[in-house]
Amino acid sequence: MSDAWTVAWRLLPDYLGEHIVLSAAALALGLAISLPLTLLAVRCERVRWLVLAFASVVQTIPSLALLALFYPLLLILSALSQRLFGQGFAALGFLPSLLALTLYSMLPIIRNGVAGIVNLPAPIIDAARGVGMTDWQLLWRVELPLAAPMLMAGIRTAAVWVIGAATLSTPVGQTSLGNYIFAGLQVQNWVSVLVGCVAAAGLALIVDQLLALIEAGTAQRSGWRIVVGTTILLAGVALAALPRDRTGPAAYVIGAKNFSEQYILADLLAQRLERAGFKTAQRTGLGSMIAFQALARNELDVYVDYSGTLWANAMRRTDPAPRDVVLREMTDWLRTEHGITLLGSLGFENAYALAMRRERARELGINNLDDLARVAPRLRMGGDLEFFDRPEWASVKNAYGLSFALERQFQPTFMYRAVSSGEVDVISAFSSDGRILADDLVVLDDPRQALLPYDAIVLLAPRRATDAVLRQVIEPLIGAISIETMREANLSVDRDSDKVTTDAAARWLSERL
């Protein structure tokens, strides 16, 4: 537990600083867009309806989905920019997060601003017009000062929303306090989750109180309150934006998806590169295709993927094939289509496999997927967040005629808890997962070979294809990690007691090579 606290505090300056800069930029951009729209909506009823309807529709989209949707859109725009101007831009990380959070901030600002001005007492407006004020003078001398408290309340709400939603930017490659939460949930490191939640809540509370000070200053015409609140906010953003320790050689950027094994392997790659004298940066918690596209665009330098994932998701292949065929055809396709180098397999496979509690499988007489098909209509199936949309699931269903009474999706950690507690009967387990042994699960045989091979493979970005140093550091890992060793490393992170950090698990794994 002490290791968990140590790691959490060590990462706090980076995570908090990135979170503050992202939130401040999104709120500032949201204000820059929302305030003119508010004034336009006040003066024109037709525009008012359109603006409020747009902002309301944006708010109905879950913030995580909004963040994810911006990534493919920016990929298209970057490719267009590359074609027209010879220069693209990074579609991963800060930019999609900034744009999504900006849209998310607009509704409370616009709605409160419009309501505050439109609902001013008519006699006040009539009196102002009666003394000969122009529309511009009416706006600046009467409407905005009187509506300022309500507008500030909207800005306060937007700030809290943005700070909270910024924790969801991790899956699109933006470092934030969400890194604590996503990684902590996956590896059941509740210290990490707690630090992320408390830090985000504390930041939101501090910002809200500073904005409240500015709001009070606006309402009471108290200049010192406005100056103090604004100064502290700007000083905090400036401090967060200061460069931290970035000295040394250019960093290698290591990618990782959103489960324990990926965090361990990313730490393993980082440790080896750092021992060789290089700075590293990690972008973790990425979705499968986001990680692949980021590598192809040189936004990542190296990460570990799985042959079955790329065969199905990237190559769009639905035909099961032997391991050697998959690796050979994939190597050629990655090189010719994307310039990506497949350096080799780490030596183990992390394949999808249907698994059950041993006693439940014994009770029903199930040893393989043919046996499962006979009783599936009265069983409940649990999968991870993407399994039911993958070609393997369609292949398995077609090969064995599987049809379950219920299909449910879980975050992987909770999927294992669901089968252990009996909430579901069967899950889409991962063959290298240590929880298979820890929870006494039995992996059901696949006699018809409907599931793809999932060798853990190291991929290098196009710009790193000829990087001799990177190859020299990583090549000793090729073929060096057995599935038993990987399961033990995974279990050390995932087990309920005596847990270790992913960094410690990576050091243990390195010592076993």
Side-chain angles (χ1 to χ4, degrees):
M1 185 65 73
S2 60
D3 286 344
W5 281 110
T6 300
V7 172
W9 288 120
R10 176 170 56 84
L11 295 172
L12 185 60
D14 279 340
Y15 288 0
L16 181 59
E18 296 276 3
H19 198 105
I20 290 173
V21 170
L22 173 62
S23 300
L27 187 61
L29 185 56
L31 281 168
I33 297 171
S34 298
L35 292 179
L37 287 177
T38 299
L39 300 181
L40 186 60
V42 166
R43 294 292 184 247
C44 180
E45 289 191 18
R46 291 183 180 179
V47 172
R48 185 186 310 164
W49 183 89
L50 288 173
V51 168
L52 288 173
F54 171 75
S56 298
V57 167
V58 168
Q59 203 65 43
T60 65
I61 303 172
S63 48
L64 183 57
L66 191 62
L67 284 157
L69 287 171
F70 265 103
Y71 181 69
L73 175 61
L74 288 172
L75 281 180
I76 295 170
L77 294 177
S78 179
L80 182 62
S81 174
Q82 181 71 41
R83 183 175 299 177
L84 294 177
F85 308 110
Q87 182 66 47
F89 53 83
L92 186 71
F94 186 80
L95 189 56
S97 304
L98 172 67
L99 296 178
L101 293 174
T102 296
L103 289 181
Y104 213 62
S105 72
M106 290 172 59
L107 178 63
I109 298 173
I110 294 173
R111 178 164 287 173
N112 279 39
V114 169
I117 295 175
V118 169
N119 293 322
L120 288 175
I124 294 178
I125 304 301
D126 293 339
R129 291 194 181 281
V131 298
M133 283 190 181
T134 64
D135 285 348
W136 188 254
Q137 290 172 326
L138 176 65
L139 175 67
W140 283 101
R141 294 184 181 181
V142 178
E143 291 175 325
L144 282 179
L146 292 177
M150 193 164 184
L151 179 60
M152 280 301 304
I155 294 172
R156 289 174 62 185
T157 301
V160 172
W161 283 4
V162 165
I163 290 171
T167 59
L168 301 175
S169 62
T170 299
V172 293
Q174 173 60 30
T175 299
S176 72
L177 294 171
N179 286 53
Y180 282 127
I181 298 169
F182 278 88
L185 285 174
Q186 178 54 49
V187 303
Q188 299 183 65
N189 180 351
W190 307 121
V191 168
S192 179
V193 175
L194 179 64
V195 170
C197 291
V198 170
L203 176 62
L205 181 62
I206 291 170
V207 170
D208 181 64
Q209 291 304 302
L210 290 172
L211 290 173
L213 182 63
I214 297 172
E215 180 183 350
T218 303
Q220 300 171 22
R221 307 294 175 88
S222 173
W224 74 266
R225 287 184 172 88
I226 297 174
V227 170
V228 170
T230 303
T231 300
I232 295 175
L233 282 174
L234 293 177
V237 174
L239 184 63
L242 287 175
R244 284 161 286 281
D245 182 18
R246 302 294 187 221
T247 59
Y252 284 102
V253 183
I254 302 166
K257 301 184 192 181
N258 59 347
F259 53 95
S260 307
E261 181 172 289
Q262 284 278 301
Y263 293 121
I264 294 171
L265 293 174
D267 281 334
L268 177 64
L269 295 175
Q271 289 169 11
R272 294 185 68 86
L273 285 165
E274 288 166 5
R275 281 199 298 270
F278 294 92
K279 287 281 185 179
T280 66
Q282 293 188 36
R283 288 187 171 179
T284 59
L286 303 176
S288 291
M289 287 309 297
I290 288 178
F292 176 74
Q293 291 165 347
L295 186 81
R297 290 172 49 81
N298 292 309
E299 294 177 11
L300 300 177
D301 292 313
V302 57
Y303 85 109
V304 176
D305 211 325
Y306 303 92
S307 56
T309 299
L310 295 178
W311 184 265
N313 289 5
M315 297 177 68
R316 306 293 183 186
R317 297 284 292 270
T318 58
D319 52 314
R323 173 173 284 101
D324 58 339
V325 173
V326 169
L327 289 176
R328 183 176 64 251
E329 293 190 18
M330 183 175 298
T331 300
D332 293 338
W333 181 83
L334 288 170
R335 184 180 63 253
T336 57
E337 296 293 328
H338 298 281
I340 293 173
T341 300
L342 196 163
L343 196 60
S345 170
L346 292 174
F348 71 92
E349 182 183 12
N350 187 358
Y352 275 114
L354 299 195
M356 303 178 66
R357 282 181 296 126
R358 189 176 302 278
E359 61 181 45
R360 181 65 167 154
R362 188 182 300 119
E363 173 191 333
L364 297 173
I366 299 174
N367 295 302
N368 56 44
L369 297 185
D370 279 320
D371 297 334
L372 178 64
R374 291 195 295 270
V375 296
R378 52 193 177 92
L379 301 182
R380 296 156 297 176
M381 171 73 188
D384 66 24
L385 298 177
E386 61 180 77
F387 180 70
F388 294 121
D389 295 320
R390 295 182 62 82
E392 296 96 320
W393 177 232
S395 174
V396 170
K397 287 181 71 174
N398 292 335
Y400 294 97
L402 291 174
S403 177
F404 289 93
L406 178 69
E407 294 176 5
R408 296 183 60 187
Q409 290 179 298
F410 297 90
Q411 189 264 358
T413 294
F414 298 114
M415 178 181 70
Y416 282 93
R417 289 192 176 276
V419 73
S420 296
S421 66
E423 190 173 343
V424 295
D425 301 291
V426 188
I427 62 168
S428 58
F430 313 113
S431 62
S432 63
D433 202 313
R435 288 171 289 194
I436 291 175
L437 296 177
D439 296 339
D440 194 26
L441 303 182
V442 58
V443 174
L444 305 181
D445 291 334
D446 176 21
R448 305 187 190 189
Q449 296 185 331
L451 291 167
L452 287 168
Y454 272 77
D455 291 281
I457 52 179
V458 180
L459 303 180
L460 305 183
R463 68 177 178 178
R464 299 299 184 185
T466 58
D467 190 326
V469 172
L470 185 60
R471 285 175 173 267
Q472 182 179 1
V473 171
I474 295 177
E475 280 179 345
L477 298 176
I478 302 303
I481 305 176
S482 68
I483 191 168
E484 293 80 13
T485 304
M486 195 68 239
R487 276 180 180 169
E488 195 170 347
N490 288 334
L491 181 59
S492 69
V493 169
D494 291 327
R495 62 195 176 202
D496 291 330
S497 60
D498 299 322
K499 296 167 70 69
V500 302
T501 63
T502 57
D503 185 66
R507 290 196 301 272
W508 177 89
L509 186 58
S510 182
E511 292 168 0
R512 298 300 183 277
L513 299 182

